[in-house]
Every structure is written in C-alpha cells, then in structure tokens.
C-alpha cells in the first residue's frame, strides 16, 4: 500500500473513532479547538499503530458509540479529551 493510501486509511480510522466518541472533528477544527496540524499528528500517530485490524473490528462492534477508545489506541488521551471538551 502506498503511503497516501495508508494515510487515508488511518485518517478514516481516526475520524470513525472520534465519531464513536461523539466527536465531530470537522466541527472541532472549525471552532479552532482542533487545528489541522493536530489532525495530521493524530493520523500519523495512528499510522504507527499495529492494531488497525483490531481497531476496525472494535469500531464495527460499537455502531451506537462508546465512552472510551480501546486501551491500545495511541490517540486515546487526545480523542477522549475532545469528547470531554
């Protein structure tokens, strides 16, 4: 998989994980609470994770949302902080 394909895949995982926590990343960026450089950093952090398959399964198992990310999520603190904000 080429680098941009991997980036896009992980950007989708980040967006879905945020949505599962009730966070609209686009809205957060529009309000200035989540600058674009933070989104890039979050996606790059996700790209370093070896649990993408487990993440996809976890997301599929939580279609109604969740209060927290899985323990292995490298963006757990960042996404849960946005959910509390």
């Amino acid at each position: 998989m080429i680098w941009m394909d991997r980036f896009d895949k992980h950007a989708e995982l980040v967006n879905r994980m945020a949505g599962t926590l009730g966070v609209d990343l686009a809205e957060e960026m529009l309000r200035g609470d989540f600058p674009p450089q933070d989104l890039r950093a979050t996606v790059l952090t996700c790209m370093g994770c070896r649990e993408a398959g487990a993440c996809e399964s976890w997301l599929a198992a939580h279609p109604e949302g969740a209060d927290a990310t899985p323990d292995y999520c490298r963006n757990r603190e960042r996404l849960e902080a946005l959910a509390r904000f």
Side-chain angles (χ1 to χ4, degrees):
M1 180 181 304
I2 62 172
W3 191 85
M4 286 306 296
D5 289 340
R6 277 191 65 228
F7 186 91
D8 291 346
K9 175 183 178 174
H10 286 270
E12 178 184 348
L13 289 174
V14 166
N15 193 48
R16 288 178 59 202
M17 185 65 72
T20 299
L21 297 176
V23 175
D24 181 336
L25 292 178
E27 182 64 30
E28 296 293 328
M29 287 193 299
L30 287 172
R31 286 197 316 240
D33 295 328
F34 194 63
Q37 61 269 25
D38 286 359
L39 177 59
R40 282 191 301 273
T42 302
V43 173
L44 290 173
T45 297
C46 183
M47 286 176 72
C49 180
R50 295 176 187 238
E51 300 292 339
C55 186
E56 289 174 338
S57 296
W58 187 90
L59 287 164
H62 293 85
E64 301 298 319
D67 294 330
T69 67
D71 291 340
Y72 54 80
C73 181
R74 290 180 168 203
N75 288 304
R76 181 181 193 134
E77 289 181 22
R78 180 179 286 155
L79 294 175
E80 290 179 7
L82 285 169
R84 289 188 299 269
F85 189 65

